[in-house]
Amino acid sequence: MRDAVIVEAVRTPVGKGRPGGALAGVHPVDLLAHSLRELIERTGLDPALVDDVIGGVVSQVGEQGGNITRRAALAAGFPDSVPATSIDRQCGSSQQAVHFAAQGVMSGAYDIAIAAGVESMSRVPMGASVAGAADIDGVALAERYPEGLIDQGYSAELIAARWGISRREMDGFAISSHDKADAATRAGAFDAELAPLAGLTHDEGIRTGSTLEKLATLQPAFYNEQMAARFPQIDWNVTAASASQISDGSAAIMVTTSDMAAKLGLTPLARVHSFAVAGADPLYMLTAVMPATEKVLARAGLSISDIDNFEVSEAFAPVVLAWAKETGADLSRVNVRGGAIALGHPLGASGARLMTTLVHTLKDTGGRYGLQTMCEGGGMANATILERL
């Protein structure tokens, strides 16, 4: 079987996803087109050679509807012969795009594919794609879960309760995320992966100077009387500080074979070694990162100790902390340049953003294996192992 290698990975800086955010004035088509254009410029590839562009986007409505990836590819100057599609696996959408691109390349369906992702949460708010729907579940799903499914914030609280994660642990993890992201930014560690846009040259949400004492004054973000009665085990310790930020951003990754890369004069950065997707209890929906990690390691024939760098989506601090407790992963190798708590979480772009950071981290540190996993709405997770080349 053919291999699949990443020859370039770029992203925009992540902007605050609210009016007044640095990227709020950028139309999401232009936001994604910027990363696609930069990818082509950096590789020097004739875009006519691209077999497909696969873009992750969660809120596919309004400015992000109508197959935004196709419109962004055209906006980036790709010839009209290059097709594109938009996919939604919730927060893991653009990580799934990498999986689809790699699968296509390995099977021979593609020679060159681009996996990308975008989300402008300042312009298309989270949940906009289901806004106004009286019922998104139907009859059979409601019968299966008669008490009703719940939002992710409640799932994060349930995870904290089940794995015994304290408020202090969550707040400490959040501070660490910002500290690592700030240190990486000041050291120029992100420079090689960033494509500045609209005057933004760095990730906008990074904060410094927080302390455990300051964070202890924040109120719980998700307390609800009805949910407190339904789930009495919850202590309500998740705050805005220990949750990911609402953000704007895009990212793009070029995937091909090592033979094709050599033919085109491109240097592979990493091989897509193994990948998996898993499901879990939709009430504890954010725990699917655990079986996904186990599944991808088994497919790769590797153990958790073989992994040099991890990128684990910081949707909420207890997700990463529970994952580490369950898998035995060394937290000093996790999100070494910060995560979504500090850098932000532009939903459809986050999978490709994490992978872009992982590729460049492995290159800079000389690590051999990197593992990325992302929790996703509905109780799913993608997991990918990269091998630095």
Side-chain angles (χ1 to χ4, degrees):
M1 181 180 290
R2 307 192 323 171
D3 62 359
V5 298
I6 294 171
V7 294
E8 188 57 89
V10 301
R11 68 176 181 93
T12 67
V14 177
K16 294 179 180 179
R18 64 190 188 200
L23 300 180
V26 181
H27 192 287
V29 168
D30 297 315
L31 185 59
L32 178 53
H34 183 71
S35 287
L36 295 175
R37 191 181 301 112
E38 184 73 16
L39 190 72
I40 292 299
E41 289 180 1
R42 293 189 183 194
T43 59
L45 186 78
D46 179 354
L49 297 176
V50 175
D51 292 302
D52 205 357
V53 183
I54 307 167
V57 58
V58 174
S59 296
Q60 297 189 28
V61 67
E63 293 179 346
Q64 292 181 169
N67 190 8
I68 184 177
T69 311
R70 169 64 171 173
R71 290 183 287 126
L74 294 173
F78 285 45
D80 55 17
S81 59
V82 178
T85 189
S86 300
I87 63 170
D88 173 13
R89 199 190 286 277
Q90 299 291 281
C91 298
S93 295
S94 53
Q95 184 174 358
Q96 183 63 61
V98 175
H99 288 197
F100 284 157
Q103 290 163 2
V105 165
M106 292 167 72
S107 70
Y110 301 145
D111 287 322
I112 302 168
I114 293 175
V118 66
E119 204 82 29
S120 177
M121 300 177 77
S122 63
R123 300 173 69 100
V124 185
M126 182 167 56
S129 58
V130 296
D135 175 14
I136 64 169
D137 292 334
V139 175
L141 187 63
E143 289 176 347
R144 180 170 180 174
Y145 299 97
E147 291 186 278
L149 296 176
I150 59 177
D151 292 337
Q152 291 190 16
Y154 304 132
S155 293
E157 289 283 11
L158 286 171
I159 290 167
R162 176 177 289 185
W163 274 270
I165 299 167
S166 69
R167 168 72 177 266
R168 189 177 183 86
E169 286 180 276
M170 294 184 212
D171 288 349
F173 183 85
I175 291 170
S176 175
S177 182
H178 284 279
D179 287 347
K180 289 185 289 187
D182 177 59
T185 299
R186 287 187 288 103
F190 292 125
D191 290 355
E193 67 191 62
L194 287 174
L197 175 62
L200 185 64
T201 60
H202 61 278
D203 299 301
E204 192 179 16
I206 302 170
R207 298 187 297 272
T208 59
S210 291
T211 65
L212 289 172
E213 291 72 26
K214 289 180 180 178
L215 296 193
T217 66
L218 297 178
Q219 295 300 307
F222 300 104
Y223 177 77
N224 175 281
E225 286 189 13
Q226 182 180 359
M227 290 297 169
R230 180 177 172 184
F231 302 112
Q233 70 269 39
I234 290 179
D235 290 329
W236 303 103
N237 284 324
V238 177
T239 70
S242 52
S244 56
Q245 298 183 42
I246 292 172
S247 309
D248 301 338
S250 73
I253 295 169
M254 187 173 290
V255 182
T256 185
T257 67
S258 55
D259 288 343
M260 181 61 69
K263 180 179 178 181
L264 296 170
L266 299 172
T267 302
L269 300 174
R271 175 167 71 100
V272 183
H273 186 288
S274 302
F275 39 82
V277 63
D281 181 350
L283 288 178
Y284 284 80
M285 70 177 81
L286 309 172
T287 61
V289 290
M290 300 170 190
T293 298
E294 181 181 4
K295 195 172 181 180
V296 78
L297 286 170
R299 286 185 175 172
L302 298 171
S303 68
I304 200 80
S305 62
D306 291 320
I307 306 301
D308 298 291
N309 292 109
F310 298 91
E311 284 290 332
V312 183
S313 180
E314 292 176 2
F316 302 92
V319 174
V320 185
L321 293 169
W323 169 87
K325 287 185 177 184
E326 194 71 18
T327 63
D330 181 353
L331 274 174
S332 70
R333 301 182 183 185
V334 178
N335 302 351
V336 297
R337 295 177 175 175
I341 287 174
L343 299 172
H345 183 16
L347 304 176
S350 282
R353 198 288 295 168
L354 266 69
M355 193 161 294
T356 296
T357 298
L358 181 57
V359 165
H360 287 278
T361 300
L362 288 171
K363 179 183 178 182
D364 294 344
T365 62
R368 181 177 181 183
Y369 293 115
L371 188 153
Q372 173 181 326
T373 188
M374 297 194 66
C375 54
E376 300 155 3
M380 302 176 291
N382 283 77
T384 316
I385 292 176
L386 301 181
E387 182 179 14
R388 181 182 61 84
L389 297 175

